[in-house]
Amino acid sequence: MKQDNPDPMVHVAEFSDIGAKVTVPYQGRKIRVNKLPLDSPEQLKSDKDDFEPGRLVFNFEVRDDSTGELLTEFDPPFELRVAYTAQDHARAKAKQQDPVLGFWDGSRWIAFTTQKHNFRLEPVDKSKPELGGHGVVTLSKWADPPISWGP
């Protein structure tokens, strides 16, 4: 994980092992982004899901670097980028869908949406989205739920 950034007003945490990047504009204090362990898929099931998880990818939290306080509200919002693979794309297309990024809210899976989270796909090659790329969301609230690509 890399948490270096030449701009002191923006904190960037890159997790190259999973292709994730968290970019947090200055929040009035120095912060740290911590990667957390993922639960097993069996522990994260519900019959009320909006979203069908296909591959669990990431879980993280944002904390005040000096006090350790967990931050859950962000003003300005932060950006989360998570890589999707050719396999994620193929799994979604087999269900006649585009890849969707979602999160576990403690009792069910919820898809990130364009309207609420500014969710968008950014393929590595726009003419060949099946090769993979990134899902990007903008978040003003976050309480460290697991994230998954689906379906």
Side-chain angles (χ1 to χ4, degrees), residues 50-57 82-85 87-103 109-112 119 121 135 147-151:
D50 295 354
F51 166 87
E52 179 185 348
R55 178 176 67 95
L56 291 175
V57 250
V82 180
Y84 70 89
T85 65
Q87 292 81 11
D88 294 327
H89 190 274
R91 187 178 57 252
K93 287 302 175 186
K95 296 192 176 196
Q96 301 177 341
Q97 297 179 25
D98 287 326
V100 177
L101 197 58
F103 64 96
W109 283 101
I110 298 175
F112 287 111
F119 173 70
L121 293 175
I147 299 168
S148 177
W149 277 108

PDB file of all heavy atoms in Angstrom, residues 50-57 82-85 87-103 109-112 119 121 135 147-151:
ATOM      1  N   ASP A  50     -29.990  -6.126  -3.117  1.00  0.00           N
ATOM      2  CA  ASP A  50     -30.245  -5.396  -4.363  1.00  0.00           C
ATOM      3  C   ASP A  50     -29.256  -5.865  -5.424  1.00  0.00           C
ATOM      4  O   ASP A  50     -29.404  -5.547  -6.584  1.00  0.00           O
ATOM      5  CB  ASP A  50     -29.933  -3.896  -4.205  1.00  0.00           C
ATOM      6  CG  ASP A  50     -30.810  -3.172  -3.234  1.00  0.00           C
ATOM      7  OD1 ASP A  50     -31.756  -3.763  -2.723  1.00  0.00           O
ATOM      8  OD2 ASP A  50     -30.537  -1.985  -3.007  1.00  0.00           O
ATOM      9  N   PHE A  51     -28.254  -6.536  -4.995  1.00  0.00           N
ATOM     10  CA  PHE A  51     -27.045  -6.733  -5.765  1.00  0.00           C
ATOM     11  C   PHE A  51     -26.519  -8.136  -5.510  1.00  0.00           C
ATOM     12  O   PHE A  51     -26.554  -8.599  -4.362  1.00  0.00           O
ATOM     13  CB  PHE A  51     -26.073  -5.655  -5.260  1.00  0.00           C
ATOM     14  CG  PHE A  51     -24.646  -5.816  -5.641  1.00  0.00           C
ATOM     15  CD1 PHE A  51     -24.193  -5.317  -6.833  1.00  0.00           C
ATOM     16  CD2 PHE A  51     -23.750  -6.423  -4.785  1.00  0.00           C
ATOM     17  CE1 PHE A  51     -22.864  -5.433  -7.166  1.00  0.00           C
ATOM     18  CE2 PHE A  51     -22.429  -6.546  -5.117  1.00  0.00           C
ATOM     19  CZ  PHE A  51     -21.980  -6.039  -6.320  1.00  0.00           C
ATOM     20  N   GLU A  52     -26.073  -8.788  -6.543  1.00  0.00           N
ATOM     21  CA  GLU A  52     -25.510 -10.135  -6.400  1.00  0.00           C
ATOM     22  C   GLU A  52     -23.986 -10.041  -6.451  1.00  0.00           C
ATOM     23  O   GLU A  52     -23.418  -9.731  -7.490  1.00  0.00           O
ATOM     24  CB  GLU A  52     -26.004 -11.032  -7.537  1.00  0.00           C
ATOM     25  CG  GLU A  52     -25.466 -12.425  -7.492  1.00  0.00           C
ATOM     26  CD  GLU A  52     -25.881 -13.248  -8.700  1.00  0.00           C
ATOM     27  OE1 GLU A  52     -26.768 -12.813  -9.453  1.00  0.00           O
ATOM     28  OE2 GLU A  52     -25.289 -14.323  -8.895  1.00  0.00           O
ATOM     29  N   PRO A  53     -23.292 -10.281  -5.322  1.00  0.00           N
ATOM     30  CA  PRO A  53     -21.833 -10.191  -5.342  1.00  0.00           C
ATOM     31  C   PRO A  53     -21.228 -11.317  -6.167  1.00  0.00           C
ATOM     32  O   PRO A  53     -21.692 -12.449  -6.106  1.00  0.00           O
ATOM     33  CB  PRO A  53     -21.445 -10.305  -3.870  1.00  0.00           C
ATOM     34  CG  PRO A  53     -22.570 -11.023  -3.234  1.00  0.00           C
ATOM     35  CD  PRO A  53     -23.807 -10.667  -4.016  1.00  0.00           C
ATOM     36  N   GLY A  54     -20.218 -10.974  -6.945  1.00  0.00           N
ATOM     37  CA  GLY A  54     -19.528 -11.974  -7.740  1.00  0.00           C
ATOM     38  C   GLY A  54     -18.111 -12.218  -7.261  1.00  0.00           C
ATOM     39  O   GLY A  54     -17.604 -13.324  -7.295  1.00  0.00           O
ATOM     40  N   ARG A  55     -17.450 -11.139  -6.821  1.00  0.00           N
ATOM     41  CA  ARG A  55     -16.073 -11.246  -6.332  1.00  0.00           C
ATOM     42  C   ARG A  55     -15.844 -10.171  -5.278  1.00  0.00           C
ATOM     43  O   ARG A  55     -15.900  -8.985  -5.559  1.00  0.00           O
ATOM     44  CB  ARG A  55     -15.085 -11.060  -7.490  1.00  0.00           C
ATOM     45  CG  ARG A  55     -13.616 -11.112  -7.059  1.00  0.00           C
ATOM     46  CD  ARG A  55     -12.671 -11.029  -8.249  1.00  0.00           C
ATOM     47  NE  ARG A  55     -12.695  -9.754  -8.919  1.00  0.00           N
ATOM     48  CZ  ARG A  55     -11.856  -8.740  -8.698  1.00  0.00           C
ATOM     49  NH1 ARG A  55     -10.892  -8.859  -7.797  1.00  0.00           N
ATOM     50  NH2 ARG A  55     -11.952  -7.615  -9.392  1.00  0.00           N
ATOM     51  N   LEU A  56     -15.595 -10.613  -4.045  1.00  0.00           N
ATOM     52  CA  LEU A  56     -15.249  -9.669  -2.977  1.00  0.00           C
ATOM     53  C   LEU A  56     -13.873  -9.087  -3.264  1.00  0.00           C
ATOM     54  O   LEU A  56     -12.951  -9.823  -3.629  1.00  0.00           O
ATOM     55  CB  LEU A  56     -15.225 -10.373  -1.618  1.00  0.00           C
ATOM     56  CG  LEU A  56     -16.561 -10.839  -1.066  1.00  0.00           C
ATOM     57  CD1 LEU A  56     -16.359 -11.616   0.228  1.00  0.00           C
ATOM     58  CD2 LEU A  56     -17.484  -9.672  -0.838  1.00  0.00           C
ATOM     59  N   VAL A  57     -13.750  -7.765  -3.112  1.00  0.00           N
ATOM     60  CA  VAL A  57     -12.480  -7.149  -3.465  1.00  0.00           C
ATOM     61  C   VAL A  57     -11.797  -6.355  -2.367  1.00  0.00           C
ATOM     62  O   VAL A  57     -10.576  -6.376  -2.291  1.00  0.00           O
ATOM     63  CB  VAL A  57     -12.606  -6.197  -4.664  1.00  0.00           C
ATOM     64  CG1 VAL A  57     -11.959  -6.710  -5.882  1.00  0.00           C
ATOM     65  CG2 VAL A  57     -13.976  -5.724  -4.933  1.00  0.00           C
ATOM     66  N   VAL A  82     -11.856   1.161  -7.960  1.00  0.00           N
ATOM     67  CA  VAL A  82     -11.603  -0.265  -7.761  1.00  0.00           C
ATOM     68  C   VAL A  82     -11.526  -0.938  -9.131  1.00  0.00           C
ATOM     69  O   VAL A  82     -12.440  -0.798  -9.952  1.00  0.00           O
ATOM     70  CB  VAL A  82     -12.714  -0.924  -6.909  1.00  0.00           C
ATOM     71  CG1 VAL A  82     -12.419  -2.405  -6.707  1.00  0.00           C
ATOM     72  CG2 VAL A  82     -12.860  -0.218  -5.572  1.00  0.00           C
ATOM     73  N   ALA A  83     -10.445  -1.668  -9.359  1.00  0.00           N
ATOM     74  CA  ALA A  83     -10.249  -2.333 -10.649  1.00  0.00           C
ATOM     75  C   ALA A  83     -11.230  -3.482 -10.834  1.00  0.00           C
ATOM     76  O   ALA A  83     -11.529  -4.221  -9.901  1.00  0.00           O
ATOM     77  CB  ALA A  83      -8.822  -2.861 -10.756  1.00  0.00           C
ATOM     78  N   TYR A  84     -11.750  -3.588 -12.072  1.00  0.00           N
ATOM     79  CA  TYR A  84     -12.501  -4.787 -12.455  1.00  0.00           C
ATOM     80  C   TYR A  84     -11.690  -5.509 -13.520  1.00  0.00           C
ATOM     81  O   TYR A  84     -10.934  -4.900 -14.273  1.00  0.00           O
ATOM     82  CB  TYR A  84     -13.925  -4.466 -12.909  1.00  0.00           C
ATOM     83  CG  TYR A  84     -14.073  -3.756 -14.236  1.00  0.00           C
ATOM     84  CD1 TYR A  84     -14.188  -4.456 -15.435  1.00  0.00           C
ATOM     85  CD2 TYR A  84     -14.127  -2.362 -14.284  1.00  0.00           C
ATOM     86  CE1 TYR A  84     -14.341  -3.797 -16.640  1.00  0.00           C
ATOM     87  CE2 TYR A  84     -14.285  -1.700 -15.492  1.00  0.00           C
ATOM     88  CZ  TYR A  84     -14.386  -2.422 -16.663  1.00  0.00           C
ATOM     89  OH  TYR A  84     -14.535  -1.769 -17.860  1.00  0.00           O
ATOM     90  N   THR A  85     -11.826  -6.811 -13.549  1.00  0.00           N
ATOM     91  CA  THR A  85     -11.033  -7.653 -14.443  1.00  0.00           C
ATOM     92  C   THR A  85     -11.851  -8.089 -15.651  1.00  0.00           C
ATOM     93  O   THR A  85     -13.084  -7.921 -15.682  1.00  0.00           O
ATOM     94  CB  THR A  85     -10.562  -8.915 -13.698  1.00  0.00           C
ATOM     95  OG1 THR A  85     -11.728  -9.684 -13.349  1.00  0.00           O
ATOM     96  CG2 THR A  85      -9.772  -8.573 -12.437  1.00  0.00           C
ATOM     97  N   GLN A  87     -12.505 -11.082 -16.212  1.00  0.00           N
ATOM     98  CA  GLN A  87     -13.399 -12.106 -15.670  1.00  0.00           C
ATOM     99  C   GLN A  87     -14.650 -11.477 -15.033  1.00  0.00           C
ATOM    100  O   GLN A  87     -15.751 -12.002 -15.179  1.00  0.00           O
ATOM    101  CB  GLN A  87     -12.671 -12.985 -14.637  1.00  0.00           C
ATOM    102  CG  GLN A  87     -11.591 -13.862 -15.230  1.00  0.00           C
ATOM    103  CD  GLN A  87     -10.267 -13.113 -15.457  1.00  0.00           C
ATOM    104  OE1 GLN A  87     -10.051 -11.990 -14.998  1.00  0.00           O
ATOM    105  NE2 GLN A  87      -9.376 -13.735 -16.212  1.00  0.00           N
ATOM    106  N   ASP A  88     -14.478 -10.349 -14.342  1.00  0.00           N
ATOM    107  CA  ASP A  88     -15.634  -9.638 -13.777  1.00  0.00           C
ATOM    108  C   ASP A  88     -16.569  -9.199 -14.898  1.00  0.00           C
ATOM    109  O   ASP A  88     -17.789  -9.332 -14.799  1.00  0.00           O
ATOM    110  CB  ASP A  88     -15.201  -8.397 -12.984  1.00  0.00           C
ATOM    111  CG  ASP A  88     -14.405  -8.718 -11.729  1.00  0.00           C
ATOM    112  OD1 ASP A  88     -14.663  -9.764 -11.098  1.00  0.00           O
ATOM    113  OD2 ASP A  88     -13.524  -7.908 -11.379  1.00  0.00           O
ATOM    114  N   HIS A  89     -15.982  -8.683 -15.974  1.00  0.00           N
ATOM    115  CA  HIS A  89     -16.773  -8.209 -17.115  1.00  0.00           C
ATOM    116  C   HIS A  89     -17.510  -9.385 -17.767  1.00  0.00           C
ATOM    117  O   HIS A  89     -18.710  -9.291 -18.057  1.00  0.00           O
ATOM    118  CB  HIS A  89     -15.873  -7.501 -18.129  1.00  0.00           C
ATOM    119  CG  HIS A  89     -16.627  -6.797 -19.191  1.00  0.00           C
ATOM    120  ND1 HIS A  89     -17.054  -7.426 -20.343  1.00  0.00           N
ATOM    121  CD2 HIS A  89     -17.068  -5.518 -19.270  1.00  0.00           C
ATOM    122  CE1 HIS A  89     -17.709  -6.561 -21.092  1.00  0.00           C
ATOM    123  NE2 HIS A  89     -17.725  -5.396 -20.467  1.00  0.00           N
ATOM    124  N   ALA A  90     -16.814 -10.495 -17.975  1.00  0.00           N
ATOM    125  CA  ALA A  90     -17.426 -11.670 -18.611  1.00  0.00           C
ATOM    126  C   ALA A  90     -18.559 -12.234 -17.753  1.00  0.00           C
ATOM    127  O   ALA A  90     -19.614 -12.621 -18.283  1.00  0.00           O
ATOM    128  CB  ALA A  90     -16.365 -12.738 -18.866  1.00  0.00           C
ATOM    129  N   ARG A  91     -18.375 -12.277 -16.443  1.00  0.00           N
ATOM    130  CA  ARG A  91     -19.416 -12.783 -15.533  1.00  0.00           C
ATOM    131  C   ARG A  91     -20.672 -11.903 -15.627  1.00  0.00           C
ATOM    132  O   ARG A  91     -21.792 -12.400 -15.693  1.00  0.00           O
ATOM    133  CB  ARG A  91     -18.876 -12.818 -14.104  1.00  0.00           C
ATOM    134  CG  ARG A  91     -19.803 -13.476 -13.109  1.00  0.00           C
ATOM    135  CD  ARG A  91     -19.224 -13.538 -11.688  1.00  0.00           C
ATOM    136  NE  ARG A  91     -18.876 -12.213 -11.196  1.00  0.00           N
ATOM    137  CZ  ARG A  91     -17.623 -11.749 -11.047  1.00  0.00           C
ATOM    138  NH1 ARG A  91     -16.588 -12.526 -11.324  1.00  0.00           N
ATOM    139  NH2 ARG A  91     -17.412 -10.528 -10.607  1.00  0.00           N
ATOM    140  N   ALA A  92     -20.482 -10.594 -15.680  1.00  0.00           N
ATOM    141  CA  ALA A  92     -21.623  -9.667 -15.799  1.00  0.00           C
ATOM    142  C   ALA A  92     -22.307  -9.825 -17.150  1.00  0.00           C
ATOM    143  O   ALA A  92     -23.541  -9.871 -17.228  1.00  0.00           O
ATOM    144  CB  ALA A  92     -21.145  -8.227 -15.598  1.00  0.00           C
ATOM    145  N   LYS A  93     -21.547  -9.901 -18.208  1.00  0.00           N
ATOM    146  CA  LYS A  93     -22.126 -10.027 -19.554  1.00  0.00           C
ATOM    147  C   LYS A  93     -22.892 -11.337 -19.712  1.00  0.00           C
ATOM    148  O   LYS A  93     -23.891 -11.389 -20.423  1.00  0.00           O
ATOM    149  CB  LYS A  93     -21.052  -9.891 -20.636  1.00  0.00           C
ATOM    150  CG  LYS A  93     -20.567  -8.463 -20.803  1.00  0.00           C
ATOM    151  CD  LYS A  93     -21.719  -7.545 -21.155  1.00  0.00           C
ATOM    152  CE  LYS A  93     -21.312  -6.104 -21.217  1.00  0.00           C
ATOM    153  NZ  LYS A  93     -22.425  -5.192 -21.406  1.00  0.00           N
ATOM    154  N   ALA A  94     -22.442 -12.399 -19.038  1.00  0.00           N
ATOM    155  CA  ALA A  94     -23.156 -13.676 -19.087  1.00  0.00           C
ATOM    156  C   ALA A  94     -24.567 -13.525 -18.498  1.00  0.00           C
ATOM    157  O   ALA A  94     -25.472 -14.279 -18.846  1.00  0.00           O
ATOM    158  CB  ALA A  94     -22.387 -14.759 -18.330  1.00  0.00           C
ATOM    159  N   LYS A  95     -24.746 -12.527 -17.636  1.00  0.00           N
ATOM    160  CA  LYS A  95     -26.075 -12.233 -17.055  1.00  0.00           C
ATOM    161  C   LYS A  95     -26.704 -11.018 -17.728  1.00  0.00           C
ATOM    162  O   LYS A  95     -27.641 -10.437 -17.197  1.00  0.00           O
ATOM    163  CB  LYS A  95     -25.939 -12.019 -15.556  1.00  0.00           C
ATOM    164  CG  LYS A  95     -25.466 -13.290 -14.870  1.00  0.00           C
ATOM    165  CD  LYS A  95     -25.600 -13.212 -13.384  1.00  0.00           C
ATOM    166  CE  LYS A  95     -25.187 -14.578 -12.835  1.00  0.00           C
ATOM    167  NZ  LYS A  95     -25.598 -14.773 -11.494  1.00  0.00           N
ATOM    168  N   GLN A  96     -26.150 -10.655 -18.880  1.00  0.00           N
ATOM    169  CA  GLN A  96     -26.641  -9.529 -19.699  1.00  0.00           C
ATOM    170  C   GLN A  96     -26.654  -8.220 -18.914  1.00  0.00           C
ATOM    171  O   GLN A  96     -27.608  -7.456 -18.973  1.00  0.00           O
ATOM    172  CB  GLN A  96     -28.016  -9.855 -20.291  1.00  0.00           C
ATOM    173  CG  GLN A  96     -27.963 -11.086 -21.158  1.00  0.00           C
ATOM    174  CD  GLN A  96     -29.311 -11.484 -21.697  1.00  0.00           C
ATOM    175  OE1 GLN A  96     -30.351 -11.098 -21.193  1.00  0.00           O
ATOM    176  NE2 GLN A  96     -29.274 -12.273 -22.755  1.00  0.00           N
ATOM    177  N   GLN A  97     -25.570  -7.990 -18.188  1.00  0.00           N
ATOM    178  CA  GLN A  97     -25.406  -6.768 -17.406  1.00  0.00           C
ATOM    179  C   GLN A  97     -23.998  -6.216 -17.597  1.00  0.00           C
ATOM    180  O   GLN A  97     -23.118  -6.906 -18.106  1.00  0.00           O
ATOM    181  CB  GLN A  97     -25.613  -7.053 -15.916  1.00  0.00           C
ATOM    182  CG  GLN A  97     -26.991  -7.534 -15.552  1.00  0.00           C
ATOM    183  CD  GLN A  97     -27.090  -7.824 -14.058  1.00  0.00           C
ATOM    184  OE1 GLN A  97     -26.360  -7.287 -13.239  1.00  0.00           O
ATOM    185  NE2 GLN A  97     -28.011  -8.703 -13.698  1.00  0.00           N
ATOM    186  N   ASP A  98     -23.812  -4.989 -17.150  1.00  0.00           N
ATOM    187  CA  ASP A  98     -22.466  -4.426 -17.024  1.00  0.00           C
ATOM    188  C   ASP A  98     -21.974  -4.748 -15.622  1.00  0.00           C
ATOM    189  O   ASP A  98     -22.781  -4.985 -14.713  1.00  0.00           O
ATOM    190  CB  ASP A  98     -22.502  -2.901 -17.203  1.00  0.00           C
ATOM    191  CG  ASP A  98     -22.730  -2.502 -18.651  1.00  0.00           C
ATOM    192  OD1 ASP A  98     -22.241  -3.210 -19.550  1.00  0.00           O
ATOM    193  OD2 ASP A  98     -23.399  -1.473 -18.867  1.00  0.00           O
ATOM    194  N   PRO A  99     -20.662  -4.734 -15.405  1.00  0.00           N
ATOM    195  CA  PRO A  99     -20.169  -4.917 -14.041  1.00  0.00           C
ATOM    196  C   PRO A  99     -20.729  -3.827 -13.126  1.00  0.00           C
ATOM    197  O   PRO A  99     -20.894  -2.679 -13.537  1.00  0.00           O
ATOM    198  CB  PRO A  99     -18.647  -4.768 -14.181  1.00  0.00           C
ATOM    199  CG  PRO A  99     -18.364  -5.044 -15.623  1.00  0.00           C
ATOM    200  CD  PRO A  99     -19.571  -4.573 -16.375  1.00  0.00           C
ATOM    201  N   VAL A 100     -21.029  -4.217 -11.897  1.00  0.00           N
ATOM    202  CA  VAL A 100     -21.566  -3.290 -10.904  1.00  0.00           C
ATOM    203  C   VAL A 100     -20.762  -3.462  -9.623  1.00  0.00           C
ATOM    204  O   VAL A 100     -20.468  -4.580  -9.217  1.00  0.00           O
ATOM    205  CB  VAL A 100     -23.060  -3.578 -10.625  1.00  0.00           C
ATOM    206  CG1 VAL A 100     -23.603  -2.658  -9.546  1.00  0.00           C
ATOM    207  CG2 VAL A 100     -23.881  -3.454 -11.888  1.00  0.00           C
ATOM    208  N   LEU A 101     -20.440  -2.346  -9.004  1.00  0.00           N
ATOM    209  CA  LEU A 101     -19.734  -2.358  -7.733  1.00  0.00           C
ATOM    210  C   LEU A 101     -20.778  -2.186  -6.635  1.00  0.00           C
ATOM    211  O   LEU A 101     -21.716  -1.393  -6.776  1.00  0.00           O
ATOM    212  CB  LEU A 101     -18.734  -1.200  -7.712  1.00  0.00           C
ATOM    213  CG  LEU A 101     -17.618  -1.207  -6.691  1.00  0.00           C
ATOM    214  CD1 LEU A 101     -16.748  -2.463  -6.825  1.00  0.00           C
ATOM    215  CD2 LEU A 101     -16.759   0.034  -6.848  1.00  0.00           C
ATOM    216  N   GLY A 102     -20.638  -2.957  -5.565  1.00  0.00           N
ATOM    217  CA  GLY A 102     -21.601  -2.871  -4.481  1.00  0.00           C
ATOM    218  C   GLY A 102     -20.930  -2.981  -3.130  1.00  0.00           C
ATOM    219  O   GLY A 102     -19.749  -3.306  -3.030  1.00  0.00           O
ATOM    220  N   PHE A 103     -21.717  -2.711  -2.077  1.00  0.00           N
ATOM    221  CA  PHE A 103     -21.190  -2.784  -0.722  1.00  0.00           C
ATOM    222  C   PHE A 103     -22.189  -3.473   0.197  1.00  0.00           C
ATOM    223  O   PHE A 103     -23.388  -3.475  -0.045  1.00  0.00           O
ATOM    224  CB  PHE A 103     -20.831  -1.385  -0.188  1.00  0.00           C
ATOM    225  CG  PHE A 103     -22.005  -0.454  -0.051  1.00  0.00           C
ATOM    226  CD1 PHE A 103     -22.650  -0.316   1.178  1.00  0.00           C
ATOM    227  CD2 PHE A 103     -22.465   0.281  -1.126  1.00  0.00           C
ATOM    228  CE1 PHE A 103     -23.735   0.536   1.312  1.00  0.00           C
ATOM    229  CE2 PHE A 103     -23.549   1.141  -1.002  1.00  0.00           C
ATOM    230  CZ  PHE A 103     -24.187   1.269   0.222  1.00  0.00           C
ATOM    231  N   TRP A 109     -26.580  -6.632   0.503  1.00  0.00           N
ATOM    232  CA  TRP A 109     -25.747  -6.013  -0.524  1.00  0.00           C
ATOM    233  C   TRP A 109     -26.526  -4.908  -1.226  1.00  0.00           C
ATOM    234  O   TRP A 109     -27.694  -5.087  -1.573  1.00  0.00           O
ATOM    235  CB  TRP A 109     -25.305  -7.052  -1.551  1.00  0.00           C
ATOM    236  CG  TRP A 109     -24.203  -7.917  -1.042  1.00  0.00           C
ATOM    237  CD1 TRP A 109     -24.325  -9.183  -0.558  1.00  0.00           C
ATOM    238  CD2 TRP A 109     -22.826  -7.571  -0.934  1.00  0.00           C
ATOM    239  NE1 TRP A 109     -23.108  -9.646  -0.158  1.00  0.00           N
ATOM    240  CE2 TRP A 109     -22.160  -8.678  -0.377  1.00  0.00           C
ATOM    241  CE3 TRP A 109     -22.090  -6.436  -1.253  1.00  0.00           C
ATOM    242  CZ2 TRP A 109     -20.795  -8.684  -0.144  1.00  0.00           C
ATOM    243  CZ3 TRP A 109     -20.720  -6.433  -1.022  1.00  0.00           C
ATOM    244  CH2 TRP A 109     -20.091  -7.548  -0.466  1.00  0.00           C
ATOM    245  N   ILE A 110     -25.851  -3.786  -1.458  1.00  0.00           N
ATOM    246  CA  ILE A 110     -26.436  -2.635  -2.139  1.00  0.00           C
ATOM    247  C   ILE A 110     -25.498  -2.203  -3.257  1.00  0.00           C
ATOM    248  O   ILE A 110     -24.283  -2.093  -3.051  1.00  0.00           O
ATOM    249  CB  ILE A 110     -26.657  -1.465  -1.162  1.00  0.00           C
ATOM    250  CG1 ILE A 110     -27.642  -1.895  -0.076  1.00  0.00           C
ATOM    251  CG2 ILE A 110     -27.131  -0.220  -1.885  1.00  0.00           C
ATOM    252  CD1 ILE A 110     -27.853  -0.886   1.016  1.00  0.00           C
ATOM    253  N   ALA A 111     -26.059  -1.961  -4.434  1.00  0.00           N
ATOM    254  CA  ALA A 111     -25.259  -1.512  -5.572  1.00  0.00           C
ATOM    255  C   ALA A 111     -24.988  -0.011  -5.462  1.00  0.00           C
ATOM    256  O   ALA A 111     -25.862   0.763  -5.083  1.00  0.00           O
ATOM    257  CB  ALA A 111     -25.994  -1.800  -6.875  1.00  0.00           C
ATOM    258  N   PHE A 112     -23.767   0.386  -5.784  1.00  0.00           N
ATOM    259  CA  PHE A 112     -23.477   1.808  -5.951  1.00  0.00           C
ATOM    260  C   PHE A 112     -24.231   2.265  -7.197  1.00  0.00           C
ATOM    261  O   PHE A 112     -24.296   1.536  -8.189  1.00  0.00           O
ATOM    262  CB  PHE A 112     -21.978   2.039  -6.164  1.00  0.00           C
ATOM    263  CG  PHE A 112     -21.139   1.863  -4.922  1.00  0.00           C
ATOM    264  CD1 PHE A 112     -20.258   0.794  -4.808  1.00  0.00           C
ATOM    265  CD2 PHE A 112     -21.207   2.779  -3.883  1.00  0.00           C
ATOM    266  CE1 PHE A 112     -19.461   0.648  -3.678  1.00  0.00           C
ATOM    267  CE2 PHE A 112     -20.416   2.633  -2.737  1.00  0.00           C
ATOM    268  CZ  PHE A 112     -19.545   1.570  -2.645  1.00  0.00           C
ATOM    269  N   PHE A 119     -21.522   6.581  -9.549  1.00  0.00           N
ATOM    270  CA  PHE A 119     -20.847   5.369 -10.030  1.00  0.00           C
ATOM    271  C   PHE A 119     -20.674   5.428 -11.536  1.00  0.00           C
ATOM    272  O   PHE A 119     -21.575   5.790 -12.280  1.00  0.00           O
ATOM    273  CB  PHE A 119     -21.670   4.117  -9.676  1.00  0.00           C
ATOM    274  CG  PHE A 119     -21.118   2.857 -10.291  1.00  0.00           C
ATOM    275  CD1 PHE A 119     -19.931   2.324  -9.843  1.00  0.00           C
ATOM    276  CD2 PHE A 119     -21.776   2.232 -11.329  1.00  0.00           C
ATOM    277  CE1 PHE A 119     -19.405   1.167 -10.408  1.00  0.00           C
ATOM    278  CE2 PHE A 119     -21.268   1.075 -11.907  1.00  0.00           C
ATOM    279  CZ  PHE A 119     -20.077   0.546 -11.444  1.00  0.00           C
ATOM    280  N   LEU A 121     -18.131   3.368 -14.828  1.00  0.00           N
ATOM    281  CA  LEU A 121     -17.083   2.448 -15.253  1.00  0.00           C
ATOM    282  C   LEU A 121     -16.114   3.217 -16.133  1.00  0.00           C
ATOM    283  O   LEU A 121     -16.535   3.994 -16.998  1.00  0.00           O
ATOM    284  CB  LEU A 121     -17.669   1.279 -16.042  1.00  0.00           C
ATOM    285  CG  LEU A 121     -18.549   0.311 -15.267  1.00  0.00           C
ATOM    286  CD1 LEU A 121     -19.160  -0.726 -16.207  1.00  0.00           C
ATOM    287  CD2 LEU A 121     -17.763  -0.383 -14.162  1.00  0.00           C
ATOM    288  N   GLY A 135     -14.051   0.799 -11.604  1.00  0.00           N
ATOM    289  CA  GLY A 135     -15.306   1.377 -11.165  1.00  0.00           C
ATOM    290  C   GLY A 135     -14.942   2.527 -10.247  1.00  0.00           C
ATOM    291  O   GLY A 135     -14.023   2.414  -9.439  1.00  0.00           O
ATOM    292  N   ILE A 147     -16.601  -4.467  -0.067  1.00  0.00           N
ATOM    293  CA  ILE A 147     -16.974  -4.076  -1.424  1.00  0.00           C
ATOM    294  C   ILE A 147     -16.802  -5.284  -2.338  1.00  0.00           C
ATOM    295  O   ILE A 147     -15.847  -6.046  -2.194  1.00  0.00           O
ATOM    296  CB  ILE A 147     -16.091  -2.915  -1.904  1.00  0.00           C
ATOM    297  CG1 ILE A 147     -16.286  -1.705  -0.996  1.00  0.00           C
ATOM    298  CG2 ILE A 147     -16.385  -2.546  -3.347  1.00  0.00           C
ATOM    299  CD1 ILE A 147     -15.263  -0.622  -1.205  1.00  0.00           C
ATOM    300  N   SER A 148     -17.709  -5.420  -3.307  1.00  0.00           N
ATOM    301  CA  SER A 148     -17.665  -6.545  -4.238  1.00  0.00           C
ATOM    302  C   SER A 148     -18.027  -6.090  -5.647  1.00  0.00           C
ATOM    303  O   SER A 148     -18.802  -5.156  -5.828  1.00  0.00           O
ATOM    304  CB  SER A 148     -18.661  -7.621  -3.805  1.00  0.00           C
ATOM    305  OG  SER A 148     -18.698  -8.689  -4.722  1.00  0.00           O
ATOM    306  N   TRP A 149     -17.460  -6.789  -6.627  1.00  0.00           N
ATOM    307  CA  TRP A 149     -17.931  -6.662  -8.009  1.00  0.00           C
ATOM    308  C   TRP A 149     -19.036  -7.670  -8.216  1.00  0.00           C
ATOM    309  O   TRP A 149     -18.991  -8.775  -7.695  1.00  0.00           O
ATOM    310  CB  TRP A 149     -16.800  -6.926  -9.016  1.00  0.00           C
ATOM    311  CG  TRP A 149     -15.960  -5.726  -9.234  1.00  0.00           C
ATOM    312  CD1 TRP A 149     -14.680  -5.540  -8.786  1.00  0.00           C
ATOM    313  CD2 TRP A 149     -16.312  -4.535  -9.910  1.00  0.00           C
ATOM    314  NE1 TRP A 149     -14.247  -4.296  -9.149  1.00  0.00           N
ATOM    315  CE2 TRP A 149     -15.224  -3.650  -9.844  1.00  0.00           C
ATOM    316  CE3 TRP A 149     -17.486  -4.095 -10.574  1.00  0.00           C
ATOM    317  CZ2 TRP A 149     -15.250  -2.379 -10.414  1.00  0.00           C
ATOM    318  CZ3 TRP A 149     -17.495  -2.836 -11.137  1.00  0.00           C
ATOM    319  CH2 TRP A 149     -16.390  -1.990 -11.053  1.00  0.00           C
ATOM    320  N   GLY A 150     -20.014  -7.295  -8.998  1.00  0.00           N
ATOM    321  CA  GLY A 150     -21.100  -8.203  -9.303  1.00  0.00           C
ATOM    322  C   GLY A 150     -21.626  -7.933 -10.701  1.00  0.00           C
ATOM    323  O   GLY A 150     -21.183  -6.975 -11.329  1.00  0.00           O
ATOM    324  N   PRO A 151     -22.521  -8.651 -11.211  1.00  0.00           N
ATOM    325  CA  PRO A 151     -23.034  -9.855 -10.562  1.00  0.00           C
ATOM    326  C   PRO A 151     -22.001 -10.958 -10.595  1.00  0.00           C
ATOM    327  O   PRO A 151     -21.045 -10.915 -11.286  1.00  0.00           O
ATOM    328  CB  PRO A 151     -24.255 -10.194 -11.385  1.00  0.00           C
ATOM    329  CG  PRO A 151     -24.022  -9.599 -12.724  1.00  0.00           C
ATOM    330  CD  PRO A 151     -23.129  -8.423 -12.484  1.00  0.00           C
TER     331      PRO A 151
END
